[in-house]
Amino acid sequence: MSSDVLQPTETNRRVKTEIAAAVAIACVLALAVALPALRLRTGLREQVLLREGQVLQAVVAMQYAVETAEMESLGLVAADVDDFTTMLKTARLPGVIGVRLFNRRDSTQDVFPPELNEGALTAADWDALGSLTPVVRMHADYPLAELILTVDQRGTAELIEVIVPLPARGDAQRAAQFWIAGTGIAAELARQDRALIALAAIVWIAGTCVALGIQSIASRKLRRANAELRRRGDDLSRANQELALAAKVSAVGVVAAHLIHGLKNPLQGLRGLAVEQKRASGNGDGKAAWADAAAMTGRLQAMVDDVTALLTDEASGIQFRVTCEEMMQVVTKRTGDIRNSTGVEMTWTSVKGLEFDNRLAALVGLIVSNLVTNACEASKPGAGVHVEILRKRGMIEIAVSDRGCGIPSPKRERLFLPAASTKPHGSGIGLAVSRNLAQHIQATLELEETGPAGTVFVLRIPVSEEVKQP
């Protein structure tokens, strides 16, 4: 599975986390908008009520000014202005239900209309009035029975209580309490609340959209960063595995070099002995066995000669070009014995005019020879092995396919590890050495497909100066 593809459980966990984060953001923003909106609502309501009190206080002051002017025109003084008469004239204003006059010094009060109950002002009210500030209160459901003496009054009403200070006379603090129908003010406050709720909703929706947009962008970038980290972790893990494999194969290479050095002369003697015994046997029963021994030792000697030639070319530093046809002729010669013994035919096709550097051609030839040998051993007598050399997407691809029964699934994961052969008597180092050789030339060797119809290995070589394209 690719590192940037999420498992279903991880995807579900991520979706749940993002939903929870979105809900948390929406709740926090709702709280952040609601608290200031409530404070703003309280402030606006106080301003509206204070406005009503200030207007009524101005009307009372104007009425006192008119009464004082009339008294002075009659040769009287301002002290002769009757408070109750003045308040009665003020009570003619629309919406005024009743008025009470309070004198703090002797606790007397006058009421109008007569049905209005007597009441009382608190010390806090008198203190506020002392600063010439009206006291205004909104009563949403005020019991009418507590305000009016009439026994048939039932229910509640929206009322505004406005207490305004009156001009002081001597040391007596006086005030007038007006009870006003609050239907109009209540409607105004309701409109104000609806506008404030709409504004708060717009701010909350806009803020939530912006926050969720930022969260989405940040989450997407974080997912990309996590995917990149996973990809790099996978690359590092593969690199560590390849380094370990290279170390193992390098150790195998050292052992192989010692074996080649020690086996070269004994193999030559054994092959000569096998050939001599084959001749000496005539047509006896031992002739076939000695013939097989001679073929086997010949094959081993050819392999030793190939490796020796490769090491010689590396040491000499001589460079020349090798055509694809010449390389495949060498592969055909190297695999002749195994093809003859297994009865498998090999065919190959290639693009025209493809040439390799001699060093690259030698290594590629070894890899292809090993793949063809494995394909012949995996195929049934009379089957065919095909080598196809193509150019794809800036790469040279060499595909070796057989018509065997495929590689069992449990063995595919360890296919390129040493000592992981799928053949009964295999050593398990052929594919490991081949992949190591491929990595040495910056190429890749992979199992492309396998199954009952056969197996395909592909060697992909990057195009460089060592490869001349047609």
Side-chain angles (χ1 to χ4, degrees), residues 83-393:
D83 294 331
F84 191 69
T85 303
T86 304
M87 292 305 102
L88 289 179
K89 294 180 179 180
T90 307
R92 298 173 184 172
L93 293 173
V96 176
I97 297 175
V99 59
R100 295 182 181 132
L101 296 180
F102 295 94
N103 189 313
R104 189 176 188 181
R105 183 179 61 185
D106 54 13
S107 300
T108 59
Q109 60 179 284
D110 293 317
V111 297
F112 179 82
E115 296 83 8
L116 195 68
N117 286 331
E118 293 186 356
L121 299 182
T122 65
D125 293 337
W126 286 112
D127 292 340
L129 295 172
S131 61
L132 301 181
T133 302
V135 177
V136 185
R137 285 187 282 264
M138 180 75 182
H139 301 280
D141 297 301
Y142 195 86
L144 293 177
E146 295 182 7
L147 181 65
I148 301 175
L149 291 172
T150 308
V151 294
D152 59 349
Q153 293 293 335
R154 296 291 184 271
T156 61
E158 294 178 334
L159 299 178
I160 300 176
E161 178 187 1
V162 181
I163 307 172
V164 297
L166 299 179
R169 292 182 179 176
D171 58 352
Q173 187 178 4
R174 299 173 304 129
Q177 181 188 53
F178 292 89
W179 290 91
I180 305 172
T183 306
I185 298 298
E188 181 180 351
L189 294 177
R191 288 193 300 270
Q192 180 177 279
D193 289 344
R194 288 193 295 271
L196 189 59
I197 291 173
L199 179 60
I202 292 173
V203 172
W204 176 70
I205 293 174
T208 302
C209 291
V210 172
L212 292 180
I214 295 175
Q215 181 218 9
S216 176
I217 294 173
S219 178
R220 187 160 52 249
K221 290 184 177 180
L222 183 60
R223 289 198 301 272
R224 290 177 181 173
N226 288 336
E228 181 66 17
L229 286 176
R230 284 193 296 269
R231 186 187 66 79
R232 292 187 179 183
D234 293 342
D235 291 343
L236 183 60
S237 178
R238 284 194 296 269
N240 288 334
Q241 293 177 357
E242 291 173 357
L243 285 175
L245 177 60
K248 293 179 181 179
V249 176
S250 296
V252 173
V254 173
V255 175
H258 286 287
L259 288 175
I260 289 170
H261 179 73
L263 290 177
K264 184 174 182 180
N265 292 331
L267 280 175
Q268 187 173 0
L270 286 173
R271 187 169 187 274
L273 177 62
V275 172
E276 184 65 25
Q277 291 295 326
K278 174 185 175 183
R279 292 174 181 174
S281 299
N283 295 324
D285 296 336
K287 182 177 181 180
W290 284 112
D292 292 340
M296 180 62 68
T297 54
R299 180 183 171 190
L300 293 174
Q301 189 175 7
M303 292 175 62
V304 170
D305 292 339
D306 291 338
V307 175
T308 303
L310 178 61
L311 295 176
T312 302
D313 289 343
E314 289 283 349
S316 65
I318 299 175
Q319 294 184 351
F320 54 91
R321 310 300 295 184
V322 177
T323 64
C324 185
E325 290 79 5
E326 292 172 338
M327 183 185 72
M328 289 306 301
Q329 288 174 3
V330 174
V331 171
T332 302
K333 181 179 178 182
R334 286 175 180 169
T335 58
D337 290 341
I338 187 65
R339 289 187 288 107
N340 292 332
S341 63
T342 57
V344 176
E345 294 294 330
M346 184 191 77
T347 58
W348 64 275
T349 57
S350 171
V351 293
K352 299 293 184 180
L354 189 63
E355 294 182 356
F356 299 91
D357 177 84
N358 63 310
R359 172 181 171 275
L360 179 62
L363 295 174
V364 172
L366 285 176
I367 297 172
V368 175
S369 296
N370 188 32
L371 294 177
V372 170
T373 298
N374 291 342
C376 290
E377 293 176 343
S379 301
K380 297 179 180 180
V385 173
H386 184 66
V387 179
E388 185 178 21
I389 305 175
L390 301 173
R391 179 181 178 275
K392 290 183 179 180
R393 299 182 294 274

